Amino acid sequence: MHARHWALVSVVGASLTLVLTGCSSSPKTATTSAGNSASSSGATGTAPSSMSPTSESGSFYDPIAVGNTWTYSTDYGLASLGVVTDTERMTAVTATADGTQATISRSFHYKNGKQADFVSTATYLFHKDGSVTVPYQNIGTGIQIHVKSGSIQWPTPAEFAAGTPKTGQIVAVATSNGTTINETINFVTKGAGTSSVTVPAGTYTAHVLNQSVSVSVNGSSTGQPIDTVSYMAPGTGMVKSIMKSSKLAPGSSDVTTVLTSFTHG
């Protein structure tokens, strides 16, 4: 999942470019072997506390099925971006030796018209142990991100329940308008229990995932860690995400993403 969300900020020239690490997806609903849509535990109901990472209903974090479609609304707290609508659709699901690979297409629309609408594609790896590898990529146009090493990992269900942090590092190169910068991103993801959360799509009992990243550009730190809290509803996926953006852009408010609708594939 935008804000599927993990939004990071990279400084390229004089502009702020939002970079997604993938928490920012919409709820995803899985199908059963018979092809029927599995029930989504979400709106106006209590979601189960866990899901089998190998079941056909999806992973601990996200249900998995071609055609699952989520629509999010993100308020970036910046006049140049404003409110962005993000429609995400799971377009392909492929079995791998270690679990499942899911491809998600995203369509972004800037309500204020100050930025051009665009589309992108992201790939998630749902591992058999219940952990997830999420993409680190650019959200927007005019910049290319090349990951040289590393990946972002979400905890297994057992690690989540125990509050065991998942740590790692990504080394990437960003290129924009002929300018190249080297980025090093250190991340920590950690489960923080469950919480009831209400968004336009409904009321959910969600797993709370805390995420923190520290970014260095060309060897220099960009400042304090960027903290994000995401709410992942079993059988639905991410329903809300909040990133503390004030550390990166003085005067800006938090970046908040909420689920507005979800359709089963």
Side-chain angles (χ1 to χ4, degrees):
M1 314 170 205
H2 245 272
R4 238 144 240 346
H5 273 281
W6 247 13
L8 303 180
V9 175
S10 295
V11 179
V12 181
S15 65
L16 288 176
T17 301
L18 293 177
V19 177
L20 174 72
T21 61
C23 216
S24 119
S25 4
S26 317
K28 305 166 189 179
T29 300
T31 55
T32 64
S33 58
N36 298 320
S37 177
S39 62
S40 173
S41 55
T44 65
T46 300
S49 59
S50 64
M51 297 175 63
S52 169
T54 58
S55 71
E56 292 181 343
S57 61
S59 81
F60 177 78
Y61 297 99
D62 287 306
I64 304 168
V66 172
N68 287 345
T69 303
W70 306 261
T71 300
Y72 293 98
S73 178
T74 299
D75 187 344
Y76 283 99
L78 295 171
S80 60
L81 296 175
V83 176
V84 180
T85 298
D86 167 25
T87 300
E88 305 188 6
R89 185 175 187 273
M90 191 170 287
T91 58
V93 174
T94 305
T96 68
D98 184 39
T100 303
Q101 175 178 295
T103 301
I104 296 176
S105 65
R106 299 178 174 130
S107 177
F108 296 88
H109 170 66
Y110 294 82
K111 290 188 175 181
N112 63 12
K114 292 185 177 181
Q115 302 284 338
D117 295 349
F118 68 96
V119 296
S120 69
T121 301
T123 300
Y124 290 78
L125 299 176
F126 297 91
H127 304 288
K128 290 181 178 178
D129 65 2
S131 64
V132 183
T133 298
V134 300
Y136 178 79
Q137 65 183 88
N138 179 55
I139 289 261
T141 58
I143 181 171
Q144 292 76 46
I145 300 291
H146 171 65
V147 176
K148 299 175 66 176
S149 64
S151 61
I152 295 170
Q153 296 284 329
W154 289 350
T156 66
E159 291 171 332
F160 187 102
T164 304
K166 201 85 166 179
T167 63
Q169 183 181 85
I170 292 174
V171 177
V173 176
T175 304
S176 177
N177 296 324
T179 299
T180 298
I181 62 172
N182 297 301
E183 294 183 331
T184 300
I185 302 96
N186 291 291
F187 73 87
V188 180
T189 59
K190 183 179 179 180
T194 61
S195 177
S196 176
V197 57
T198 298
V199 294
T203 297
Y204 301 81
T205 296
H207 300 306
V208 182
L209 181 68
N210 289 331
Q211 307 170 94
S212 181
V213 297
S214 299
V215 182
S216 294
V217 175
N218 293 333
S220 299
S221 173
T222 58
Q224 297 181 9
I226 308 162
D227 299 320
T228 301
V229 57
S230 296
Y231 299 85
M232 319 292 291
T236 299
M238 195 199 79
V239 296
K240 186 174 183 178
S241 179
I242 304 172
M243 185 189 76
K244 302 295 183 180
S245 64
S246 58
K247 295 179 180 179
L248 299 170
S252 67
S253 59
D254 295 342
V255 176
T256 301
T257 297
V258 294
L259 177 68
T260 60
S261 69
F262 168 61
T263 302
H264 294 207

